[in-house]
Amino acid sequence: MGKHGKHLVWDWNGTLLDDIEAVIGATNAAFAELGLEPITLARYRELYTVPVPKFYERLMGRLPTDAEWVLMDAAFHRHYWQRAEACVLTAGAAELLAARQASGFTQSLLSLAPHTELVPLVRRHGIEARFLRVDGRVGASTEGKSAHMVRHLAALKGVDPARIVVIGDAADDARAAAHVGARAVLYTGGSHSRASLEVAGVPVVDSLTEAVAVAEELV
């Protein structure tokens, strides 16, 4: 492994990729198709959770049926990927990734975005070579990140979970980290409000620069 065995596992959407406006736009476009009222950014951050059907339960007062979920998921992704191409990396992300790689530390990327969509987008932003691995979701979109984290770490081989910090924008990132015995730092620029992140019981920060600094202290 890299220097001192420290390793960062980065989230993509809402963390390295500044896509929250695209997410809100796609969510409301999908809601319009489904007959749901539009949602504000503040309300989205208050209610959003993973697995995503639970988010719809908070909105609708009930879990969507399997048939409803298929329609909801397809509508959101259709609108989201139309917008994703215009999204940029979060301020400072490219520089942080480059500096960390140059310093001999290792890092990887794990996302719940579909793998076939994720990899080309990461590549277009010119940062694929910064990571030991880039893993997106393969399979159903109703899972949280914990199971994916187990597979991601198994593929990394030899990475000690006690020397890993997950940097993400969702409480689910903290749960996934805890599931494998890693630490987590959560960033407020994405899908959750600060208040909803703080209940995860891990450090919460307002910039990726701060996230990396806190991660270094944790491991």
Side-chain angles (χ1 to χ4, degrees):
M1 276 193 65
K3 187 185 292 184
H4 308 307
K6 296 179 181 180
H7 182 85
L8 295 183
V9 176
W10 291 92
D11 174 58
W12 178 242
N13 301 101
T15 304
L16 289 175
L17 186 69
D18 183 10
D19 68 346
I20 190 61
E21 293 300 330
V23 168
I24 295 299
T27 297
N28 282 330
F31 281 7
E33 289 186 19
L34 299 165
L36 298 172
E37 292 296 316
I39 192 170
T40 64
L41 174 57
R43 183 71 171 152
Y44 180 92
R45 283 176 163 161
E46 177 186 343
L47 295 179
Y48 184 73
T49 190
V50 176
V52 181
K54 289 285 188 181
F55 169 55
Y56 284 95
E57 181 181 29
R58 292 178 176 184
L59 285 168
M60 301 165 61
R62 63 174 177 82
L63 276 171
T65 66
D66 289 347
E68 287 173 331
W69 169 245
V70 169
L71 290 174
M72 290 170 169
D73 193 44
F76 170 79
H77 282 99
R78 185 173 67 254
H79 290 290
Y80 173 79
W81 290 109
Q82 291 171 359
R83 293 163 168 79
E85 294 293 330
C87 294
V88 298
L89 295 179
T90 299
E95 294 80 5
L96 285 168
L97 295 171
R100 185 169 182 82
Q101 184 185 39
S103 297
F105 294 107
T106 60
Q107 52 201 339
S108 57
L109 176 58
L110 177 64
S111 174
L112 290 180
H115 187 76
T116 54
E117 303 281 0
L118 173 69
V119 172
L121 190 55
V122 172
R123 192 169 292 152
R124 282 197 291 278
H125 283 284
I127 58 172
E128 184 183 20
R130 306 300 184 198
F131 306 108
L132 295 182
R133 287 189 65 84
V134 174
D135 285 328
R137 173 177 55 78
V138 177
S141 58
T142 53
E143 292 185 312
K145 190 174 272 187
S146 294
H148 298 286
M149 185 68 72
V150 172
R151 291 190 287 270
H152 183 68
L153 295 195
L156 286 173
K157 298 178 182 177
V159 180
D160 180 3
R163 303 293 288 173
I164 290 173
V165 180
V166 177
I167 298 179
D169 71 314
D172 191 49
D173 292 301
R175 288 191 290 270
H179 185 69
V180 297
R183 311 293 291 275
V185 179
L186 299 181
Y187 164 60
T188 60
S191 59
H192 281 40
S193 66
R194 173 175 277 276
S196 62
L197 291 177
E198 286 175 342
V199 300
V202 302
V204 177
V205 300
D206 297 317
S207 73
L208 296 188
T209 299
E210 188 181 359
V212 171
V214 171
E216 289 298 329
E217 295 173 3
L218 288 177
V219 297

